[in-house]
């Protein structure tokens, strides 16, 4: 069974983290938060964005990037960045891979990206657009990884209910 992982490197905006948390719950994805965070997890904003799903979230916090690496040895990590060489649809996402996103104001530090040039992925954009919203970017890349893994363990069909007037 596919068990993907989203990693947020020093996220700053609680609404983005809350939205990503909700997406993780809806997809059975683990969320990893690398500190420092730009907010407290007890803030109303994160709970509001995550709705009533936050208590169902599989989330792990790390004191820094080194702590994350130490506790996830050998993890295959794709790094979403505007500096990526590969479009996010060009890589093959393993069922247990990690997809990392940087903080809203600065992304993933270049000293980390330089160590993993082949794992740097980007979402195509037009012109001088700096970047997309963090929660939108996470959803775009996560759903591509889920698609590549055949939406394993997910409900693929809905059901219409005829209304009686």
């Amino acid at each position: 069974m596919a068990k993907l992982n989203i990693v947020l490197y020093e996220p700053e905006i609680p609404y983005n983290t809350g939205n990503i948390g909700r997406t993780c719950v809806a997809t059975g994805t683990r969320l990893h938060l690398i500190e420092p965070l730009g907010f407290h997890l007890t803030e109303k904003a994160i709970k509001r964005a995550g709705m009533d799903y936050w208590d169902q979230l599989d989330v792990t916090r790390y004191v820094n990037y080194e702590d994350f690496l130490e506790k996830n040895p050998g993890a295959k990590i794709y790094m979403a960045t505007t500096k990526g060489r590969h479009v996010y649809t060009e890589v093959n996402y393993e069922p247990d891979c990690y997809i990392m996103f940087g903080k809203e104001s600065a992304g993933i530090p270049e000293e980390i990206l330089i160590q993993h040039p082949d794992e740097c992925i980007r979402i195509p954009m037009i012109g001088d657009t700096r970047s997309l919203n963090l929660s939108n970017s996470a959803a775009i890349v996560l759903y591509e990884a889920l698609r590549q893994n055949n939406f394993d363990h997910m409900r693929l069909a809905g059901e219409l209910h005829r209304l009686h007037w």
Side-chain angles (χ1 to χ4, degrees), residues 2-165:
K3 190 68 173 177
L4 296 167
N5 299 273
I6 292 291
V7 181
L8 301 182
Y9 179 91
E10 300 181 3
E12 299 167 317
I13 301 173
Y15 289 112
N16 285 333
T17 300
N19 287 333
I20 292 167
R22 183 176 180 163
T23 299
C24 287
V25 169
T27 58
T29 301
R30 294 182 189 111
L31 179 61
H32 303 263
L33 301 175
I34 298 174
E35 296 182 357
L37 308 180
F39 52 87
H40 297 285
L41 289 178
T42 56
E43 286 185 27
K44 285 184 183 180
I46 197 162
K47 291 182 179 178
R48 186 173 192 189
M51 304 285 288
D52 54 345
Y53 300 100
W54 196 258
D55 62 338
Q56 300 170 44
L57 180 62
D58 182 355
V59 61
T60 305
R61 293 172 67 177
Y62 305 90
V63 295
N64 55 34
Y65 180 65
E66 291 73 26
D67 183 38
F68 167 76
L69 291 177
E70 185 179 301
K71 291 179 178 165
N72 297 285
K76 177 66 174 188
I77 307 169
Y78 295 98
M79 300 183 179
T81 173
T82 57
K83 300 171 184 176
R85 295 180 182 170
H86 307 287
V87 173
Y88 75 100
T89 56
E90 295 175 340
V91 299
N92 295 315
Y93 298 94
E94 297 82 357
D96 59 349
C97 70
Y98 293 71
I99 306 166
M100 181 184 285
F101 297 85
K103 60 183 165 183
E104 291 89 340
S105 65
I108 300 169
E110 197 156 315
E111 55 268 17
I112 294 173
L113 299 175
I114 288 172
Q115 297 173 20
H116 307 278
D118 292 330
E119 288 76 34
C120 291
I121 57 172
R122 69 174 282 114
I123 299 170
M125 293 175 284
I126 294 174
D128 294 333
T129 306
R130 190 182 67 218
S131 65
L132 295 176
N133 172 274
L134 178 61
S135 62
N136 292 338
S137 297
I140 289 168
V141 179
L142 175 59
Y143 267 87
E144 173 61 17
L146 290 165
R147 184 195 66 79
Q148 288 185 18
N149 284 276
N150 300 309
F151 297 107
D152 186 28
H153 75 279
M154 298 178 76
R155 192 172 86 193
L156 299 178
E159 195 175 308
L160 293 174
H161 299 281
R162 187 173 173 189
L163 295 176
H164 299 283
W165 299 93

